[in-house]
Amino acid sequence: TVTVAISGHSGTDLTLDTASLTFSTSTWDTAQTVTVSAGQDDDTSNDSATLTHTASGGGYSLTATLAVTVTDTTVGGVSLSLSPTSVSEDAEPTNITLTATRSETGGGRAIDVPVSVTGGTAQAGTDYVEIFPLTIRIAAGQPAGSEDITFEPIDDEDAESDETVVFATGGDDFRTASARLTIRDDDRVDSKGSETPSLTLWTERLAYPPHEPVRLWLDIDPRGDDRTYTVFLYLESVETGVRHYIAPQTASMQLRGAVVDQYGAGREAWRARSLRRIERELAWEGQVPHAGLWHFAAELRSPGSAQALKRAYAKFVVPRRGLRLINTPGTVRAFTEDAQWTSDWVYILRDQLVVKSGATLTVEAGTLIQAWGRSAGIVVEPGGRLRVRGRRESPVVMTCLAPVGERFPGCWGGLKLFGHKEGDGHPPPQRYALLSGDSSPLGINGEDSGIELRFLRVEFAGAQTAPGEHRAAFELVDSGSQAAIDHVQVHASAGDGFAFRGGAAHCDHCVVSEARGSSLTWSQGWQGSAQFLYVQQGSRAHSAIRGSATTSEQSAGGPEFMNSTLVGGYNLNVIGGSPGTSTSIGPAILLQGDAAIRMGNLIAVGFAGFAIDGTSNSFAEGRSSLEDAILHTNAIRHITRGQVTEEYSPHVSFLERDPYLLNIRYEANPDPRPKSGSAALRLGNAIVPPFAPVYSRAGHFLGAFRKVNWLEEWTFFGPERDYETPDE
């Protein structure tokens, strides 16, 4: 047996189908064929190689060679290049230039270079709109040719790695060449999170008589943010939009008609600097030009940009007609005819105001109502109507009569509103007392329209009804599904925040902050719903949502919640820093008795108790459901690290991960939006809200926020001590 080994092709353009032949005594005279192939190389020159054949075995040792020439058929070698080589996924459609360059000198004849684009289309999951194959022509005598391409990246909602688009040419006529375009994925989530600067503005009062001096206070805490900002402060008339700018970092406190930054610099010299710590600094003192609705505003802008990255407001009213005392302590006032309240007055409540059947109280935008005393508040009886018509820039505020910085939870009673229905068989009670326990349901009313509440704040209510007991700041009894509760905040209630007793009312863009009881409660068979609910607890609170019901009350199921963000008051590792002595012990959602609840698109973080707890069997029975949620750092006071109790765990599904919310500190001007790249925004993690008139179908994300912080301008947050005026 003789073996012939073939060598000499390694490192050349040649490929052999076999490098060894074997001849035996029976096949010694049979020809064997070796197939030699020539591959595409990276030049345009002919190549040569010598194949060496070595025979061994049977006493033979012979060598022979074969010279092989590879004829290069390449028309011309080219290279590809791009400008620019990378774009951001959130960029506008961008022009990119693709250039093909000859490798040989002298130009030669015209060449058409076909270019393919590797990867799928946008519909297949890439981050760019489809680009079709193209051809670049290099004209005769020219070294290169170019094509301009309109490239449209797609801003996805994930935090995946950068995408790469490959433009390539090659084949029988051209050597392989490619150019790569990188699509930078800007959806990065920092596991530690970047701190958001704190920005707070406030005035000593919410109302001033004409020509009385107004003082504005400013607090800025950079929190380690070393980015540069241009800072603007101004006084603006809400009614006319006329602005006067303030430059607190100058010796003068004069209002400026022209746009200036905090250093008094004009448009051509605006100064972008890192923020410095400003602690309760007097930013401006002077008189407002005339009566009306006003606010101070502060903006942090990107250098050289009109984009405001953060805003803070301090709103106040200068009433044209002064103060109006509605009643005195021990005097119950009743409205039997229609009444209208406007911002021309500041209304003072020292006891109960009752809106009787057939009467309508209309409160216009910007109206300030101040109350004092455990009996002070507004009760709307069945058949009565309350219309609150605030706006984002001019909310209606019902608050404590005490000075700013000295207000406290339970300063006054709050709101108690009763639904009504003609001919429902329930005789109207003689008197509905603000502090009584008379909240018996009158039957679900699907036609009630006696309640219209838009852009309303109810602050420091929830007065004590008995030792250790407090009422809800906002109580709605048996109100129908057509009641309009839209952009309503309850802040610093000494008891519960919202309390729904029966009925089917819907709550849209509702906010509860620092309630010392439960933030939202329901009982007596409430069959209503809520969408875009935000709860931010202080350090002294119980549960965010608490429901209680008997079997008969919840036989048809429970209320439905879509798009809720619940932030617990046990703010260790969640809101930033230990709150000191904390009595916040409750769960995010507590179901008592036979209560049921249906929830979708939920975020719950930072509760001392479980995310879901209680005695109800409604999950096991299928009457309660939780679809699509993020639960994180709950059950802090339990040994187990589970997010829900063992009884509920088999019946709910959720993601246990950090939702990466921008700022949920217990302070002024929070920003609970998820950071770009958060799982709360990722497609497929949320359900589309039900097709019903009360729901916005745009809520196909987890939590109450997406790209817009809808809390801005009309809400109020933070501990009252942060608004104390420094001593003279």
Side-chain angles (χ1 to χ4, degrees):
T1 300
V2 177
T3 300
V4 179
I6 307 172
S7 61
H9 59 283
S10 178
T12 71
D13 294 338
L14 301 180
T15 302
L16 279 61
D17 67 341
T18 181
S20 178
L21 303 176
T22 301
F23 295 86
S24 67
T25 55
S26 60
T27 61
W28 67 273
D29 58 351
T30 301
Q32 298 190 43
T33 302
V34 178
T35 301
V36 182
S37 302
Q40 188 78 20
D41 61 13
D42 292 334
D43 57 46
T44 59
S45 303
N46 294 339
D47 297 291
S48 62
T50 299
L51 301 182
T52 300
H53 304 66
T54 302
S56 60
Y60 294 96
S61 180
L62 301 175
T63 300
T65 60
L66 175 66
V68 180
T69 298
V70 179
T71 303
D72 201 309
T73 60
T74 303
V75 173
V78 296
S79 60
L80 295 177
S81 61
L82 278 170
S83 179
T85 58
S86 67
V87 296
S88 172
E89 71 173 8
D90 61 356
E92 296 295 326
T94 304
N95 285 331
I96 60 174
T97 301
L98 180 64
T99 301
T101 304
R102 299 177 190 263
S103 59
E104 74 273 11
T105 60
R109 62 186 179 83
I111 303 174
D112 289 325
V113 182
V115 179
S116 63
V117 184
T118 61
T121 66
Q123 290 72 28
T126 62
D127 285 347
Y128 61 94
V129 173
E130 181 178 10
I131 300 175
F132 295 97
L134 65 150
T135 299
I136 300 176
R137 184 171 184 82
I138 303 178
Q142 297 298 317
S146 298
E147 284 287 336
D148 290 331
I149 304 167
T150 300
F151 186 81
E152 185 177 354
I154 295 176
D155 187 4
D156 61 15
E157 294 178 333
D158 59 32
E160 306 298 335
S161 58
D162 297 338
E163 294 281 348
T164 300
V165 183
V166 179
F167 299 84
T169 187
D172 293 339
D173 296 328
F174 295 93
R175 73 176 190 206
T176 301
S178 64
R180 296 173 179 267
L181 178 69
T182 300
I183 308 175
R184 300 187 307 273
D185 195 311
D186 294 334
D187 297 332
R188 296 290 187 261
V189 176
D190 184 356
S191 60
K192 295 182 180 180
S194 58
E195 288 288 355
T196 302
S198 170
L199 180 64
T200 309
L201 282 179
W202 74 99
T203 56
E204 296 168 301
R205 304 180 191 175
L206 299 183
Y208 290 89
H211 310 300
E212 182 169 322
V214 178
R215 295 203 297 176
L216 172 70
W217 299 91
L218 171 66
D219 191 290
I220 297 178
D221 187 351
R223 291 216 178 89
D225 185 351
D226 58 0
R227 292 175 292 181
T228 59
Y229 296 93
T230 309
V231 182
F232 297 87
L233 285 92
Y234 54 85
L235 172 66
E236 181 178 34
S237 169
V238 174
E239 294 154 310
T240 66
V242 174
R243 293 181 180 180
H244 294 86
Y245 282 80
I246 302 168
Q249 302 305 310
T250 62
S252 172
M253 286 193 174
Q254 296 297 317
L255 297 175
R256 318 285 185 91
V259 181
V260 297
D261 65 11
Q262 64 172 331
Y263 301 101
R267 183 181 302 273
E268 301 302 323
W270 286 342
R271 303 181 190 177
R273 296 183 177 180
S274 298
L275 298 176
R276 68 178 182 87
R277 180 70 172 102
I278 297 177
E279 190 169 4
R280 302 187 185 191
E281 180 179 282
L282 181 63
W284 185 79
E285 182 175 14
Q287 292 184 353
V288 295
H290 56 78
L293 299 175
W294 297 87
H295 63 216
F296 291 99
E299 296 182 356
L300 304 182
R301 295 188 189 174
S302 299
S305 169
Q307 180 185 10
L309 300 180
K310 191 173 183 67
R311 291 188 179 95
Y313 295 87
K315 293 182 178 288
F316 64 97
V317 59
V318 180
R320 293 176 175 84
R321 305 181 68 178
L323 305 180
R324 185 174 182 180
L325 182 64
I326 299 300
N327 53 17
T328 57
T331 304
V332 176
R333 179 82 179 271
F335 283 177
T336 58
E337 297 180 349
D338 294 351
Q340 183 180 37
W341 289 359
T342 70
S343 60
D344 289 345
W345 297 92
V346 173
Y347 300 87
I348 309 298
L349 290 175
R350 297 299 305 276
D351 209 306
Q352 184 171 300
L353 170 66
V354 180
V355 181
K356 307 292 287 186
S357 179
T360 299
L361 173 59
T362 302
V363 185
E364 298 296 346
T367 302
L368 175 63
I369 302 166
Q370 295 181 306
W372 181 273
R374 61 187 298 268
S375 299
I378 298 177
V379 175
V380 179
E381 292 188 353
R385 288 176 169 81
L386 178 63
R387 311 281 196 225
V388 175
R389 293 171 175 169
R391 297 191 297 269
R392 181 178 303 279
E393 69 277 9
S394 51
V396 172
V397 180
M398 301 180 180
T399 189
C400 178
L401 185 60
V404 173
E406 300 177 20
R407 299 166 296 183
F408 57 91
C411 168
W412 62 292
L415 294 180
K416 193 169 187 177
L417 314 176
F418 290 84
H420 62 280
K421 182 178 179 181
E422 296 287 340
D424 61 5
H426 294 269
Q430 295 299 313
R431 182 175 184 272
Y432 284 79
L434 182 70
L435 300 176
S436 76
D438 188 358
S439 299
S440 55
L442 305 178
I444 296 176
N445 174 12
E447 301 175 356
D448 175 69
S449 58
I451 305 301
E452 178 188 345
L453 309 175
R454 303 184 192 278
F455 289 100
L456 166 67
R457 289 205 322 257
V458 180
E459 303 173 344
F460 305 101
Q464 192 176 52
T465 58
E469 297 181 6
H470 293 265
R471 69 176 297 262
F474 182 109
E475 188 172 354
L476 196 61
V477 183
D478 193 51
S479 185
S481 59
Q482 293 191 17
I485 307 172
D486 184 9
H487 289 83
V488 177
Q489 180 188 17
V490 174
H491 175 69
S493 172
D496 294 335
F498 289 100
F500 294 94
R501 320 289 188 201
H506 176 78
C507 196
D508 182 60
H509 289 89
C510 288
V511 181
V512 189
S513 52
E514 202 196 350
R516 293 189 174 181
S518 293
S519 296
L520 185 150
T521 70
W522 84 84
S523 61
Q524 302 173 358
W526 179 46
Q527 298 293 318
S529 54
Q531 188 178 22
F532 307 120
L533 169 68
Y534 179 58
V535 169
Q536 186 185 63
Q537 291 187 320
S539 60
R540 300 176 61 184
H542 197 255
S543 51
I545 298 175
R546 174 172 56 86
S548 61
T550 64
T551 302
S552 59
E553 288 172 340
Q554 297 276 248
S555 59
E560 187 170 59
F561 291 79
M562 294 297 301
N563 298 100
S564 303
T565 297
L566 312 179
V567 177
Y570 202 89
N571 49 9
L572 197 64
N573 300 323
V574 178
I575 307 180
S578 173
T581 302
S582 173
T583 58
S584 177
I585 60 174
I589 302 167
L590 178 63
L591 301 179
Q592 298 174 321
D594 204 35
I597 189 172
R598 291 162 291 161
M599 297 204 77
N601 298 344
L602 166 70
I603 294 177
V605 296
F607 286 86
F610 289 102
I612 306 174
D613 201 350
T615 58
S616 174
N617 293 321
S618 56
F619 276 100
E621 296 170 354
R623 292 183 295 111
S624 287
S625 62
L626 174 62
E627 296 182 69
D628 300 278
I630 289 179
L631 309 179
H632 182 62
T633 61
N634 299 297
I636 293 174
R637 290 194 170 182
H638 294 273
I639 296 176
T640 175
R641 302 310 299 169
Q643 298 294 300
V644 300
T645 61
E646 293 183 1
E647 293 80 1
Y648 292 158
S649 181
H651 309 290
V652 298
S653 60
F654 56 88
L655 299 174
E656 188 173 350
R657 64 184 62 177
D658 194 334
Y660 294 111
L661 306 182
L662 283 169
N663 179 19
I664 51 176
R665 288 177 178 267
Y666 177 49
E667 64 182 19
N669 306 308
D671 191 347
R673 292 176 296 171
K675 297 178 183 179
S676 184
S678 166
L681 302 177
R682 194 161 299 173
L683 296 176
N685 286 349
I687 61 173
V688 177
F691 186 74
V694 296
Y695 290 121
S696 167
R697 301 277 286 177
H700 51 274
F701 51 88
L702 299 183
F705 303 87
R706 190 181 185 187
K707 293 185 177 180
V708 176
N709 181 10
W710 49 263
L711 300 175
E712 193 172 82
E713 188 170 1
W714 68 278
T715 57
F716 180 84
F717 290 89
E720 185 69 1
R721 64 179 178 271
D722 287 356
Y723 299 93
E724 294 175 353
T725 302
D727 295 334
E728 294 292 347

